[in-house]
Amino acid sequence: MTEPENRCRLVLIVPDIADADERAKIVADALKGGDVASVIVPQYGLDDGAFQKHAEKLVPLIQDAGAAALIAGDSRVAGRAKADGLHLSGNAEALSEAIEKHAPKLIVGGGNAADRHHALEIGEARPDYIFFGKLDGDIKPEAHPKNLALGEWWASMIEIPCIVMGGTDPSSALAVAETGAEFVALRLAVFGEPGRAPAVVAEINAMLDEKAPRFED
């Protein structure tokens, strides 16, 4: 599968499903739908032991599909599950410490950048990417206007790639792409009806292929 290098790409956020096997099947099916750059695995309400088990099931199947597996929040789980990276929602200091400790062996990115000031602080830590929005912030059909505005400002100025959280409607991916952001993160837009997840991934890729602006080399 060729990767569309020159346009906004899809990042999936694993849905909150307590059964590890069911969750793994749904994610594996979604990844059959087309290009996905990376998959973020949040802990949600799982205890550490259960999170470890989920991660060990999910990481290999994400990697087999050609995507990067990013574990949210827990570097020990990321290490034991042999994940590709760590997604952190903390402040610039937490991100900076994690980068010092784990990069370049692991991809380290994230951040909780609610405004330009915090975004620039996070940028100074030189993460692999910055994330605008919350992992479970898809509560409306469209992407949050503040995150779109931050993504557009960041992408126009700063080389570090950004991921912008989309909404519950798959078409919100295009609004994110139009900001110039390198990646759009989707959760419920893809996994709201698990049986349709592969078709939705295919539809989003087709839409981005057709309509997303292209990056200049």
Side-chain angles (χ1 to χ4, degrees), residues 60-74:
L61 65 87
I62 292 166
Q63 292 168 338
D64 287 349
L70 307 176
I71 299 294
D74 195 320

Side-chain angles (χ1 to χ4, degrees), residues 2-217:
T2 57
E3 294 178 1
E5 290 294 336
N6 65 338
R7 63 137 169 94
C8 184
R9 294 178 67 197
L10 186 54
V11 170
L12 295 181
I13 297 170
V14 172
D16 186 0
I17 296 168
D19 184 293
D21 291 326
E22 184 192 348
R23 197 184 196 195
K25 183 185 180 307
I26 288 166
V27 172
D29 283 349
L31 289 164
K32 291 175 189 153
D35 177 66
V36 173
S38 58
V39 180
I40 299 173
V41 183
Q43 185 161 356
Y44 296 118
L46 297 172
D47 65 42
D48 291 350
F51 187 34
Q52 181 71 51
K53 285 192 185 115
H54 276 246
E56 284 169 5
K57 272 193 193 304
L58 288 164
V59 166
L61 65 87
I62 292 166
Q63 292 168 338
D64 287 349
L70 307 176
I71 299 294
D74 195 320
S75 59
R76 285 168 308 181
V77 170
R80 289 190 204 119
K82 299 186 170 57
D84 300 285
L86 192 56
H87 175 90
L88 297 172
S89 301
N91 58 18
E93 201 180 328
L95 207 54
S96 186
E97 280 171 22
I99 289 164
E100 237 167 81
K101 203 166 166 188
H102 303 292
K105 196 163 72 90
L106 291 179
I107 296 165
V108 181
N112 186 9
D115 54 45
R116 291 184 178 194
H117 172 71
H118 286 102
L120 290 171
E121 278 188 351
I122 287 162
E124 280 173 19
R126 308 293 303 166
D128 289 296
Y129 64 85
I130 187 169
F131 190 97
F132 292 113
K134 292 192 169 79
L135 294 180
D136 57 356
D138 50 347
I139 47 178
K140 291 187 173 167
E142 62 282 352
H144 196 296
K146 185 181 74 175
N147 295 331
L148 291 174
L150 282 166
E152 185 165 11
W153 160 75
W154 182 271
S156 69
M157 279 184 39
I158 292 168
E159 296 253 316
I160 297 166
C162 69
I163 305 176
V164 176
M165 186 70 200
T168 57
D169 188 321
S171 67
S172 66
L174 187 58
V176 170
E178 284 167 347
T179 67
E182 288 85 357
F183 301 97
V184 54
L186 294 177
R187 186 179 64 128
L188 296 178
V190 170
F191 295 111
E193 290 178 59
R196 288 203 65 243
V200 175
V201 168
E203 282 161 24
I204 291 164
N205 272 300
M207 175 179 68
L208 294 173
D209 278 340
E210 187 189 344
K211 296 179 177 166
R214 295 306 188 251
F215 303 132
E216 292 166 17
D217 291 336

